[in-house]
Amino acid sequence: IALYIWQKGEGPHLTPVPEFCTDDVNSYKVDHCATTFSNFLPLCGEPVNKEDVFVAVKTCRKFHGDRIPVVKQTWEREAALIEYYSDFADVSIPTIDLGVPNTDRGHCGKTFAILERFLNHTSPRTPWLVVVDDDTLISIFRLQKLLSCYDPNEPVFLGERYGYGLGTGGYSYITGGGGMVFSRTAVQKLLASKCRCYSMDAPDDMVLGMCFSGLGIPITHSPLFHQARPMDYPKDYLSHQIPVSFHKHWNIDPVKVYFTWLAPSTEESHNGKKVGYNREDL
């Protein structure tokens, strides 16, 4: 096809399409690239205030000792409003026992309890809820900028989109590990409906996708949220992003991943020292 279009130099010139380029707009290769791509974080106005974002961290007793310390070493300091929800009340963290037993499979019961708590026990002036796992790494600072592009008075359900049975009348859903962002309006509409977990250990993210689909509320996809680790994505794909989140601690140093990919710069002051990491290794 390329040779046919080229016609030995006599064919039409290629049209620049930013999404197709594998070189950054500042690269010296740009003059020889059919397309270019600009790295930027969406910003549609002033970033939302950190006090407008309530962060709910899902955890359980067996992970209090290894996962929660990572959150506290990395992104917790960015959050003005944050609570840890568990199956055990640990005052040293502190965690809140929702009265929902931990399950090995899905966490639908726990997530719906978090949604109920957000609606009934937080300030009605707090427009945004973010639900993350205890092994999610996220930049609240970048999320504040991204949320400037959305109206919390609308039912917004934002994150990394997956699909279930889309070819046979299925539904889209937001993957939980990358972080699920709800406007208060979306939570209100969801809980006002009769859509609930079909079992306490059902996959929460898929049930939420099914519920919102039934309500006619579309999910909003952002490629800046990630269900997996940086090493699980092509380097060219990530080179065109300023990511908001990654997920999972398997075979990585999650603190290094945070300061390399998600901190405000790739060289971040940590414990009084400047630390920088090579993304190629992460």
Side-chain angles (χ1 to χ4, degrees):
I1 294 174
L3 285 172
Y4 175 78
I5 295 173
W6 182 53
Q7 293 179 17
K8 296 183 179 179
E10 299 299 319
H13 292 288
L14 295 179
T15 303
V17 180
E19 288 77 8
F20 291 163
C21 191
T22 58
D23 285 309
D24 186 84
V25 67
N26 297 316
S27 169
Y28 70 93
K29 299 179 181 178
V30 163
D31 289 341
H32 305 285
C33 185
T35 59
T36 57
F37 192 96
S38 298
N39 272 350
F40 66 93
L41 190 68
L43 183 62
C44 306
E46 287 296 316
V48 303
N49 295 325
K50 60 166 59 177
E51 293 78 14
D52 288 339
V53 182
F54 187 95
V55 184
V57 182
K58 293 186 300 178
T59 187
C60 61
R61 187 172 187 174
K62 67 179 179 179
F63 293 132
H64 287 186
D66 56 350
R67 293 186 179 179
I68 299 304
V70 171
V71 178
K72 290 184 174 292
Q73 288 178 63
T74 56
W75 60 268
E76 184 196 65
R77 70 194 71 180
E78 297 180 40
L81 305 171
I82 183 169
E83 288 185 346
Y84 296 86
Y85 300 107
S86 182
D87 56 347
F88 176 73
D90 185 337
V91 295
S92 67
I93 292 174
T95 59
I96 295 169
D97 182 359
L98 291 170
V100 179
N102 190 55
T103 55
D104 292 329
R105 226 163 51 96
H107 305 105
C108 194
K110 179 184 288 186
T111 298
F112 269 81
I114 290 171
L115 297 176
E116 294 273 6
R117 183 179 175 86
F118 172 72
L119 207 57
N120 298 319
H121 294 89
T122 64
S123 168
R125 293 188 297 274
T126 305
W128 296 106
L129 168 67
V130 184
V131 179
V132 296
D133 292 346
D134 51 11
D135 59 346
T136 300
L137 299 167
I138 189 167
S139 170
I140 303 300
F141 176 78
R142 294 177 186 171
L143 181 61
Q144 289 172 245
K145 293 186 175 182
L146 180 62
L147 289 180
S148 70
C149 296
Y150 301 97
D151 182 354
N153 296 313
E154 297 291 330
V156 179
F157 185 34
L158 170 69
E160 184 180 24
R161 171 187 174 272
Y162 275 25
Y164 175 76
L166 293 177
T168 54
Y171 53 87
S172 297
Y173 63 95
I174 298 297
T175 57
M180 299 183 290
V181 183
F182 305 80
S183 64
R184 181 173 289 271
T185 303
V187 178
Q188 289 170 335
K189 289 183 177 295
L190 172 66
L191 296 182
S193 75
K194 296 182 179 180
C195 194
R196 293 294 187 273
C197 308
Y198 54 83
S199 68
M200 294 296 279
D201 65 347
D204 54 350
D205 48 7
M206 297 182 75
V207 170
L208 287 167
M210 182 174 59
C211 289
F212 280 116
S213 176
L215 290 170
I217 297 173
I219 64 107
T220 303
H221 169 70
S222 170
L224 307 181
F225 296 81
H226 301 88
Q227 172 71 11
R229 309 163 299 171
M231 65 177 64
D232 299 320
Y233 297 88
K235 293 175 184 175
D236 279 348
Y237 177 74
L238 293 182
S239 72
H240 296 155
Q241 292 187 351
I242 299 178
V244 166
S245 72
F246 288 104
H247 179 227
K248 297 173 184 166
H249 292 179
W250 303 339
N251 301 318
I252 60 169
D253 180 338
V255 176
K256 285 185 178 180
V257 169
Y258 170 79
F259 282 106
T260 302
W261 289 94
L262 298 169
S265 67
T266 56
E267 192 178 76
E268 183 76 5
S269 178
H270 183 49
N271 292 333
K273 298 179 180 178
K274 286 286 185 179
V275 292
Y277 302 105
N278 185 358
R279 289 186 171 184
E280 300 291 323
D281 301 329
L282 299 169

